[in-house]
PDB file of all heavy atoms in Angstrom:
ATOM      1  N   GLY A 235      23.942  -0.394  -9.183  1.00 92.00           N
ATOM      2  CA  GLY A 235      24.623   0.074 -10.383  1.00 92.00           C
ATOM      3  C   GLY A 235      25.879   0.872 -10.174  1.00 92.00           C
ATOM      4  O   GLY A 235      26.528   1.256 -11.151  1.00 92.00           O
ATOM      5  N   GLY A 236      26.271   1.164  -8.937  1.00 92.00           N
ATOM      6  CA  GLY A 236      27.479   1.942  -8.735  1.00 92.00           C
ATOM      7  C   GLY A 236      27.728   2.271  -7.276  1.00 92.00           C
ATOM      8  O   GLY A 236      26.960   1.886  -6.394  1.00 92.00           O
ATOM      9  N   TYR A 237      28.803   3.010  -7.039  1.00 95.00           N
ATOM     10  CA  TYR A 237      29.202   3.373  -5.674  1.00 95.00           C
ATOM     11  C   TYR A 237      28.348   4.525  -5.149  1.00 95.00           C
ATOM     12  O   TYR A 237      28.077   5.502  -5.865  1.00 95.00           O
ATOM     13  CB  TYR A 237      30.676   3.788  -5.660  1.00 95.00           C
ATOM     14  CG  TYR A 237      31.097   4.461  -4.373  1.00 95.00           C
ATOM     15  CD1 TYR A 237      31.398   3.719  -3.234  1.00 95.00           C
ATOM     16  CD2 TYR A 237      31.174   5.861  -4.297  1.00 95.00           C
ATOM     17  CE1 TYR A 237      31.768   4.336  -2.059  1.00 95.00           C
ATOM     18  CE2 TYR A 237      31.553   6.489  -3.123  1.00 95.00           C
ATOM     19  CZ  TYR A 237      31.846   5.720  -1.999  1.00 95.00           C
ATOM     20  OH  TYR A 237      32.212   6.336  -0.835  1.00 95.00           O
ATOM     21  N   VAL A 238      27.953   4.429  -3.875  1.00 96.00           N
ATOM     22  CA  VAL A 238      27.266   5.522  -3.191  1.00 96.00           C
ATOM     23  C   VAL A 238      27.878   5.675  -1.807  1.00 96.00           C
ATOM     24  O   VAL A 238      27.950   4.714  -1.038  1.00 96.00           O
ATOM     25  CB  VAL A 238      25.748   5.254  -3.054  1.00 96.00           C
ATOM     26  CG1 VAL A 238      25.086   6.366  -2.247  1.00 96.00           C
ATOM     27  CG2 VAL A 238      25.097   5.139  -4.426  1.00 96.00           C
ATOM     28  N   GLY A 239      28.335   6.876  -1.502  1.00 97.00           N
ATOM     29  CA  GLY A 239      28.859   7.174  -0.174  1.00 97.00           C
ATOM     30  C   GLY A 239      27.950   8.163   0.536  1.00 97.00           C
ATOM     31  O   GLY A 239      27.459   9.117  -0.078  1.00 97.00           O
ATOM     32  N   LEU A 240      27.699   7.926   1.814  1.00 97.00           N
ATOM     33  CA  LEU A 240      26.874   8.832   2.603  1.00 97.00           C
ATOM     34  C   LEU A 240      27.778   9.883   3.250  1.00 97.00           C
ATOM     35  O   LEU A 240      28.410   9.630   4.269  1.00 97.00           O
ATOM     36  CB  LEU A 240      26.092   8.051   3.666  1.00 97.00           C
ATOM     37  CG  LEU A 240      25.120   8.851   4.545  1.00 97.00           C
ATOM     38  CD1 LEU A 240      24.050   9.532   3.691  1.00 97.00           C
ATOM     39  CD2 LEU A 240      24.471   7.945   5.585  1.00 97.00           C
ATOM     40  N   ALA A 241      27.843  11.055   2.623  1.00 97.00           N
ATOM     41  CA  ALA A 241      28.748  12.100   3.088  1.00 97.00           C
ATOM     42  C   ALA A 241      28.181  12.875   4.274  1.00 97.00           C
ATOM     43  O   ALA A 241      28.931  13.400   5.102  1.00 97.00           O
ATOM     44  CB  ALA A 241      29.059  13.061   1.939  1.00 97.00           C
ATOM     45  N   HIS A 242      26.860  12.953   4.356  1.00 97.00           N
ATOM     46  CA  HIS A 242      26.223  13.723   5.428  1.00 97.00           C
ATOM     47  C   HIS A 242      24.801  13.233   5.613  1.00 97.00           C
ATOM     48  O   HIS A 242      24.107  12.931   4.641  1.00 97.00           O
ATOM     49  CB  HIS A 242      26.207  15.218   5.077  1.00 97.00           C
ATOM     50  CG  HIS A 242      25.267  16.036   5.912  1.00 97.00           C
ATOM     51  ND1 HIS A 242      25.539  16.411   7.223  1.00 97.00           N
ATOM     52  CD2 HIS A 242      24.030  16.556   5.631  1.00 97.00           C
ATOM     53  CE1 HIS A 242      24.524  17.115   7.701  1.00 97.00           C
ATOM     54  NE2 HIS A 242      23.603  17.216   6.768  1.00 97.00           N
ATOM     55  N   MET A 243      24.387  13.115   6.880  1.00 97.00           N
ATOM     56  CA  MET A 243      22.991  12.802   7.160  1.00 97.00           C
ATOM     57  C   MET A 243      22.574  13.489   8.450  1.00 97.00           C
ATOM     58  O   MET A 243      23.290  13.466   9.443  1.00 97.00           O
ATOM     59  CB  MET A 243      22.762  11.289   7.296  1.00 97.00           C
ATOM     60  CG  MET A 243      21.282  10.942   7.509  1.00 97.00           C
ATOM     61  SD  MET A 243      20.939   9.163   7.485  1.00 97.00           S
ATOM     62  CE  MET A 243      21.438   8.714   9.158  1.00 97.00           C
ATOM     63  N   ARG A 244      21.426  14.104   8.409  1.00 98.00           N
ATOM     64  CA  ARG A 244      20.843  14.718   9.593  1.00 98.00           C
ATOM     65  C   ARG A 244      19.345  14.462   9.581  1.00 98.00           C
ATOM     66  O   ARG A 244      18.688  14.675   8.567  1.00 98.00           O
ATOM     67  CB  ARG A 244      21.113  16.219   9.643  1.00 98.00           C
ATOM     68  CG  ARG A 244      20.462  16.878  10.856  1.00 98.00           C
ATOM     69  CD  ARG A 244      20.695  18.366  10.924  1.00 98.00           C
ATOM     70  NE  ARG A 244      19.937  18.953  12.020  1.00 98.00           N
ATOM     71  CZ  ARG A 244      20.426  19.803  12.912  1.00 98.00           C
ATOM     72  NH1 ARG A 244      21.698  20.142  12.857  1.00 98.00           N
ATOM     73  NH2 ARG A 244      19.658  20.305  13.852  1.00 98.00           N
ATOM     74  N   VAL A 245      18.821  13.982  10.703  1.00 98.00           N
ATOM     75  CA  VAL A 245      17.400  13.702  10.858  1.00 98.00           C
ATOM     76  C   VAL A 245      16.890  14.473  12.060  1.00 98.00           C
ATOM     77  O   VAL A 245      17.567  14.540  13.093  1.00 98.00           O
ATOM     78  CB  VAL A 245      17.162  12.189  11.067  1.00 98.00           C
ATOM     79  CG1 VAL A 245      15.681  11.906  11.298  1.00 98.00           C
ATOM     80  CG2 VAL A 245      17.684  11.399   9.882  1.00 98.00           C
ATOM     81  N   ASP A 246      15.704  15.062  11.950  1.00 97.00           N
ATOM     82  CA  ASP A 246      15.108  15.783  13.076  1.00 97.00           C
ATOM     83  C   ASP A 246      13.609  15.517  13.110  1.00 97.00           C
ATOM     84  O   ASP A 246      12.983  15.271  12.070  1.00 97.00           O
ATOM     85  CB  ASP A 246      15.337  17.290  12.975  1.00 97.00           C
ATOM     86  CG  ASP A 246      16.509  17.749  13.844  1.00 97.00           C
ATOM     87  OD1 ASP A 246      16.632  17.233  14.969  1.00 97.00           O
ATOM     88  OD2 ASP A 246      17.279  18.614  13.385  1.00 97.00           O
ATOM     89  N   ALA A 247      13.044  15.580  14.314  1.00 97.00           N
ATOM     90  CA  ALA A 247      11.597  15.418  14.470  1.00 97.00           C
ATOM     91  C   ALA A 247      11.193  16.022  15.800  1.00 97.00           C
ATOM     92  O   ALA A 247      11.887  15.838  16.804  1.00 97.00           O
ATOM     93  CB  ALA A 247      11.222  13.939  14.426  1.00 97.00           C
ATOM     94  N   TRP A 248      10.097  16.747  15.803  1.00 95.00           N
ATOM     95  CA  TRP A 248       9.629  17.323  17.049  1.00 95.00           C
ATOM     96  C   TRP A 248       8.120  17.524  17.010  1.00 95.00           C
ATOM     97  O   TRP A 248       7.497  17.580  15.952  1.00 95.00           O
ATOM     98  CB  TRP A 248      10.341  18.631  17.376  1.00 95.00           C
ATOM     99  CG  TRP A 248      10.280  19.679  16.307  1.00 95.00           C
ATOM    100  CD1 TRP A 248       9.354  20.659  16.163  1.00 95.00           C
ATOM    101  CD2 TRP A 248      11.207  19.869  15.220  1.00 95.00           C
ATOM    102  NE1 TRP A 248       9.626  21.437  15.071  1.00 95.00           N
ATOM    103  CE2 TRP A 248      10.759  20.982  14.481  1.00 95.00           C
ATOM    104  CE3 TRP A 248      12.372  19.206  14.811  1.00 95.00           C
ATOM    105  CZ2 TRP A 248      11.427  21.435  13.350  1.00 95.00           C
ATOM    106  CZ3 TRP A 248      13.031  19.657  13.684  1.00 95.00           C
ATOM    107  CH2 TRP A 248      12.568  20.762  12.970  1.00 95.00           C
TER     108      TRP A 248
END
Side-chain angles (χ1 to χ4, degrees):
Y237 167 80
V238 176
L240 183 60
H242 164 76
M243 183 173 80
R244 178 181 174 133
V245 177
D246 261 320
W248 55 91

